[in-house]
């Protein structure tokens, strides 16, 4: 087994280390979600924590790590008699992103359950993690139903497996740690709330710290055992401090004054529900125990708020997690003034940062300092709204350049459902119909590999004709492997929604572009809720560009949209051809994820010879490949040319106006992309 990197050798990342250690002291805090860019010690810190966890006593031979002092009466391997057990190190169990439901929660042997009536159960990762650490790297990339199962088990302290009336329950209490890179997509707010604490990590920009990160990492890579030995004393001291804090924790007093501060702080930040109050109380208590105190003070409440509230402050998916520290101090002071409670500062160095030797990561040092990627802009002349470019080039308009400053998006609204026709087999989501592991049962088939979802009626029907030949004599059904039938289910999938946005001069009127951006922002919000990947192609001036390659981070798409400048010619064909290139590459990368092309334009095209016809040919190229598409018609004014509707016909899709896009609009019914394409 490889030697883990020492926890105390991490450089900096004070909040990350503190959040992990508080959960080690009090697992009731509810775990920690670590958000940050790549290469910032997230994984290294979690794996290093395992070496600090105290050993656990377990019942010998129990696959579910029962405590010999208080064995689980419902343990599938039980019953166990209370008594002495064996000690072993606390486990760190890693949940792979591609894990199946059976791998996570365990699986029943359905054949034996039906034919013998026994609960033959193979434990999953939740059982392995009981009384240890469950680490989920890239938790934001897990399928939603796996995250639901994981967080339910973390909240209830137990895992339930139920299949066709046969159920197994076992204890599953663990320290839950998730890491994620926000650039790859966010967790849903209701799932964020299930993590007790969250910390943001970033690579230091200080030269000395970065040098120390590299120096230590190189030393570790050259001689892992020797490097760990040099930090053995610090590791032992920190391990002893965790044990002492755990022992002190039951004696820590949470007074009425600080409890009112906790409640007032949560109320001031308008967090939903009561989980934040409870997590803050547990975190403040753990902070006091970590500092060696038997009473919670105001500084503990403040630190607890900084760890427990930022991810619960998001009012919509495009809000960045964070906390206004001035507002926090004001809320704490107001609550203290009401109580006349002037808590003294804690004596000594107090609660926060554990002893260590420095900085961000050992895992290769800090990450690249990513620069802005809003894309260069052409100095194209602004097209006059409502008429075509004369082809005179890109001369600046009188009184200013061809490029106009970005305008803010209008207020988002709930959009009508746009879906891809047919039945897909892509990643689980909420947009288009698909064959999935979860959903309504539509039929049965012979299983390919392990049986996961039994179709009971079809299995009985397959076994029934053979009962006499198999010598059935009792009431039980004689079932063979060949009789088992897998249920086929239909649910919803997530799609790749590729936006192609016209940012040319014909769209540049400020009020109009604000409405257009508001519509695209609304569609992005819808894509977030339906668990889609999104991409953004823009066209203006002389060419088109990929403003955002396909990603699960809808937040990144929203940020690029907000900073989108306008002006110049309207190379519509270039935008469609660029979108074709993006989709071609994505089909190779992820062939099961079906695309939905959303073109946001007024249909006008300028530049070159017969640009409208060229755009039509580009549209028909998408149609020939069966790409589902919809055109959001942004044309305004009394005189309308209908070019967007013609483009929709070329694409084989449908066209909706900005008004028709609203879910509460009475301008029309929900558009069916396939029907519109056939009608064309």
């Amino acid at each position: 087994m490889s030697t883990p990197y020492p926890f105390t050798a991490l450089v900096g990342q004070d909040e990350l280390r503190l959040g992990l250690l508080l959960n080690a002291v009090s697992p009731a805090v509810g775990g920690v979600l670590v958000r940050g860019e790549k290469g910032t010690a997230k994984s290294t810190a979690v794996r290093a924590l395992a070496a600090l966890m105290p050993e656990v006593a377990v019942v010998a031979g129990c696959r579910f790590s029962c405590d010999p002092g208080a064995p689980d009466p419902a343990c599938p391997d039980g019953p166990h008699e209370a008594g002495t057990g064996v000690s072993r190190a606390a486990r760190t169990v890693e949940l792979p992103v591609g894990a199946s439901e059976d791998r996570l929660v365990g699986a029943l042997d359905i054949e034996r359950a039906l034919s013998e009536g026994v609960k033959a159960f193979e434990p999953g990762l939740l059982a392995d993690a009981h009384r240890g650490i469950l680490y989920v790297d890239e938790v934001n990339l897990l399928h939603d139903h796996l995250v639901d199962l994981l967080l339910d088990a973390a909240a209830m302290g137990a895992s339930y497996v139920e299949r066709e009336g046969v159920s197994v329950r076992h204890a599953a209490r663990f320290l839950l740690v998730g890491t994620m890179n926000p650039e790859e997509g966010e967790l849903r707010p209701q799932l964020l709330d299930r993590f007790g604490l969250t910390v943001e990590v970033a690579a230091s920009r200080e030269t000395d710290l970065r040098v120390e990160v590299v120096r230590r990492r190189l030393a570790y890579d050259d001689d892992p055992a020797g490097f760990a030995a040099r930090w053995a004393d610090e590791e032992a001291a920190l391990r002893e401090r965790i044990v002492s804090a755990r022992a002190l924790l039951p004696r820590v007093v949470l007074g009425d004054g600080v409890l009112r501060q906790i409640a007032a702080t949560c109320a001031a930040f308008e967090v939903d529900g009561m989980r934040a109050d409870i997590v803050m109380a547990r975190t403040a208590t753990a902070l006091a125990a970590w500092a060696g105190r038997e009473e919670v003070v105001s500084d503990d409440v403040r630190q607890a708020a900084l760890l427990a509230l930022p991810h619960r402050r998001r009012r919509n998916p495009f809000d960045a997690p964070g906390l206004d520290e001035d507002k926090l101090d004001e809320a704490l002071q107001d609550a203290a003034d009401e109580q006349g409670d002037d808590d003294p500062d804690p004596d000594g160095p107090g609660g926060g940062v554990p002893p260590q030797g420095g900085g961000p990561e050992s895992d290769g040092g800090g990450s690249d300092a990513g620069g802005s990627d809003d894309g260069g802009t052409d100095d194209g002349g602004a097209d006059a709204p409502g008429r075509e470019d004369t082809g005179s080039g890109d001369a600046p308009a009188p009184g200013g350049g061809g490029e106009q400053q970005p305008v803010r998006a209008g207020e988002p609204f709930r959009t009508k459902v746009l879906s891809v026709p047919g039945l897909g087999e892509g990643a689980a989501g909420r947009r288009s119909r698909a064959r999935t592991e979860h959903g309504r049962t539509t039929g049965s088939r012979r299983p390919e590999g392990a049986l996961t979802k039994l179709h009971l009626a079809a299995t009985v029907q397959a076994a029934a004709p053979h009962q006499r030949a198999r010598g059935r004599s009792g009431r039980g059904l004689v079932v063979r492997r060949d009789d088992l039938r897998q249920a086929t289910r239909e649910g919803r999938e997530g799609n790749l929604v590729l936006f192609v946005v016209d940012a040319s001069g014909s769209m540049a009127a400020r009020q109009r572009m604000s409405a257009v951006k508001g519509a695209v922002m609304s569609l992005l919000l819808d894509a977030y809720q339906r668990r889609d990947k999104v991409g953004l192609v823009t066209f203006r001036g002389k060419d088109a560009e990929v403003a955002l390659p396909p990603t699960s981070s809808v937040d990144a798409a929203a940020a690029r949209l907000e900073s989108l400048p306008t002006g110049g010619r309207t190379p519509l064909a270039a935008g469609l051809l660029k979108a074709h290139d993006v989709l071609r590459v994505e089909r190779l990368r992820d062939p099961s994820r079906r695309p939905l092309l959303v073109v946001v334009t007024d249909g006008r095209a300028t530049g070159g010879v017969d640009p409208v016809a060229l755009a039509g040919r580009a549209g028909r190229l998408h149609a020939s490949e069966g790409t589902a598409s919809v055109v959001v018609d942004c044309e305004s004014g009394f005189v309308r040319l209908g070019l967007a509707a013609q483009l929709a016909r070329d694409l084989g899709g449908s066209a909706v106006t900005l008004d028709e896009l609203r879910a509460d609009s009475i301008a029309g019914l929900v558009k069916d992309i396939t029907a519109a394409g056939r009608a064309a």
Side-chain angles (χ1 to χ4, degrees):
M1 182 176 179
S2 61
T3 303
Y5 192 93
F7 191 88
T8 50
L10 294 171
V11 183
Q13 304 295 26
D14 295 342
E15 282 198 350
L16 168 60
R17 291 181 294 109
L18 179 59
L20 292 172
L21 289 169
L22 291 178
N23 274 275
V25 171
S26 175
V29 165
V32 59
L33 176 65
V34 185
R35 298 164 44 91
E37 58 197 23
K38 53 188 177 293
T40 48
K42 299 188 297 293
S43 300
T44 299
V46 176
R47 297 185 178 110
L49 179 68
L52 300 176
M53 300 290 285
E55 289 190 342
V56 294
V58 299
V59 174
C62 178
R63 297 174 297 166
F64 302 88
S65 303
C66 280
D67 184 349
D72 181 6
C75 176
D77 283 357
H80 305 299
E81 293 185 4
T84 59
V86 297
S87 294
R88 62 161 174 77
R91 292 173 178 161
T92 296
V93 176
E94 297 193 27
L95 174 61
V97 169
S100 65
E101 179 179 339
D102 286 346
R103 184 71 186 99
L104 176 63
V105 301
L108 290 170
D109 187 329
I110 299 297
E111 184 176 356
R112 291 189 63 192
L114 287 175
S115 59
E116 302 175 29
V118 298
K119 296 180 181 179
F121 181 67
E122 185 66 29
L125 295 176
L126 292 180
D128 293 341
H130 180 46
R131 305 177 67 202
I133 300 172
L134 181 61
Y135 171 46
V136 189
D137 193 15
E138 306 294 356
V139 64
N140 52 324
L141 302 184
L142 277 181
H143 287 186
D144 283 354
H145 73 281
L146 290 183
V147 178
D148 291 337
L149 291 170
L150 174 66
L151 296 179
D152 282 346
M156 296 185 296
S159 175
Y160 295 85
V161 182
E162 299 196 13
R163 295 283 170 82
E164 312 302 336
V166 181
S167 64
V168 171
R169 175 256 180 216
H170 65 82
R173 292 183 295 275
F174 44 80
L175 195 169
L176 176 63
V177 182
T179 59
M180 60 175 283
N181 183 347
E183 294 178 357
E184 297 172 341
E186 286 285 357
L187 280 175
R188 304 197 310 267
Q190 61 268 41
L191 298 184
L192 279 172
D193 185 54
R194 300 298 287 271
F195 282 94
L197 310 179
T198 186
V199 294
E200 296 279 340
V201 295
S204 173
R205 300 299 184 250
E206 295 183 21
T207 302
D208 290 342
L209 286 180
R210 296 176 74 95
V211 168
E212 186 62 21
V213 168
V214 176
R215 181 181 291 119
R216 293 187 187 184
R217 184 68 202 196
L218 293 177
Y220 170 76
D221 290 342
D222 288 342
D223 182 10
F227 184 83
R230 292 197 291 274
W231 291 89
D233 291 343
E234 288 84 351
E235 292 282 287
L238 191 55
R239 188 179 300 109
E240 181 59 34
R241 187 174 176 184
I242 293 173
V243 173
S244 299
R246 281 187 171 187
L248 178 61
L249 188 66
R251 305 198 302 272
V252 175
V253 176
L254 185 69
D256 286 344
V258 292
L259 193 55
R260 292 188 69 85
Q261 282 187 316
I262 290 171
T265 301
C266 292
F269 283 99
E270 300 178 343
V271 296
D272 296 331
M274 295 298 298
R275 185 174 283 118
D277 304 63
I278 296 170
V279 171
M280 273 189 65
R282 289 173 175 165
T283 305
T285 304
L287 280 162
W290 180 250
R293 287 182 274 101
E294 295 188 5
E295 184 177 2
V296 177
V297 298
S298 293
D299 281 356
D300 297 328
V301 176
R302 187 181 192 279
Q303 182 66 60
L306 292 173
L307 293 170
L309 295 187
H311 59 303
R312 296 183 168 91
R313 279 281 298 145
R314 301 184 76 190
R315 312 317 294 177
N316 69 65
F318 303 141
D319 290 340
L323 210 62
D324 185 337
E325 294 196 31
D326 291 336
K327 183 177 180 180
L328 172 60
D329 292 334
E330 183 180 344
L332 291 172
Q333 188 59 50
D334 289 346
D337 290 344
E338 289 180 6
Q339 291 296 309
D341 179 17
D342 293 320
D343 284 330
D345 290 331
D347 295 330
V353 183
Q356 54 86 48
E361 164 39 4
S362 39
D363 196 8
S367 67
D368 295 336
S372 172
D373 189 25
D374 289 331
T377 55
D378 296 312
D379 295 329
D383 293 343
R387 74 177 188 188
E388 295 216 279
D389 182 287
T390 61
S392 60
D394 302 25
E403 179 179 305
Q404 299 190 14
Q405 292 299 316
V407 299
R408 293 189 60 83
E411 191 68 23
F413 52 84
R414 190 166 63 91
T415 67
K416 290 181 176 178
V417 179
L418 304 175
S419 61
V420 178
L423 193 63
E425 296 181 343
R430 299 180 179 179
R431 182 172 297 278
S432 304
R433 294 173 55 230
R435 285 182 286 268
T436 62
E437 287 295 318
H438 298 268
R440 64 184 181 89
T441 300
T442 58
S444 65
R445 59 175 174 81
R446 291 182 180 272
E448 299 173 1
L451 179 72
T452 56
K453 298 291 183 182
L454 178 74
H455 194 296
L456 183 58
T459 298
V460 172
Q461 187 176 9
H466 308 290
Q467 296 307 294
R468 181 174 298 177
R470 292 172 182 173
R472 174 187 172 187
S473 58
R475 299 177 60 184
L477 189 68
V478 182
V479 179
R480 299 286 185 260
R481 175 70 185 175
D482 289 344
D483 300 329
L484 299 179
R485 294 295 181 268
Q486 174 84 23
T488 57
R489 303 193 175 199
E490 182 178 312
R492 294 280 169 175
E493 67 177 359
N495 297 111
L496 166 60
V497 182
L498 182 62
F499 293 92
V500 181
V501 180
D502 185 347
S504 66
S506 68
M507 303 280 287
R510 296 187 67 83
Q511 186 174 1
R512 183 183 183 195
M513 197 61 196
S514 177
V516 168
K517 283 189 176 183
V520 179
M521 196 72 77
S522 303
L523 290 167
L524 284 172
L525 179 59
D526 182 67
Y528 168 84
Q529 294 168 340
R530 300 185 187 281
R531 314 306 289 166
D532 296 316
K533 288 179 70 174
V534 297
L536 179 62
V537 172
T538 64
F539 58 93
R540 58 181 294 275
K542 298 178 180 178
D543 204 356
E545 67 170 352
V546 181
L548 183 71
T551 174
S552 295
S553 178
V554 178
D555 301 51
R560 299 292 170 85
L561 181 69
E562 281 283 6
S563 61
L564 179 66
T566 56
R569 291 180 175 178
T570 312
L572 176 56
L576 295 173
L577 292 175
K578 182 69 72 175
H580 180 267
D581 290 341
V582 171
L583 294 180
R584 178 179 54 81
V585 173
E586 286 302 308
R587 284 191 181 97
L588 297 174
R589 290 176 175 170
D590 191 357
S592 65
R593 188 180 289 268
R594 297 186 296 163
L596 174 61
L597 185 68
V598 179
V599 184
V600 185
T601 181
D602 56 9
R604 299 171 189 269
T606 59
V609 179
D610 203 353
V612 175
L614 187 61
R617 287 197 294 273
R620 289 189 290 276
L621 177 61
H622 284 280
S624 68
E625 297 182 351
T627 302
S629 59
V630 60
V631 176
V632 180
D633 185 355
C634 303
E635 191 173 28
S636 60
F638 293 106
V639 179
R640 304 202 176 199
L641 303 179
L643 295 174
Q646 177 58 50
L647 176 62
R649 289 190 289 272
D650 290 329
L651 286 164
S654 62
V656 294
T657 66
L658 291 176
D659 287 338
E660 291 171 340
L661 191 61
R662 293 178 179 270
D664 55 358
S665 170
I666 60 174
L669 300 175
V670 177
K671 299 286 184 178
D672 185 306
I673 298 172
T674 310
R678 283 199 292 263

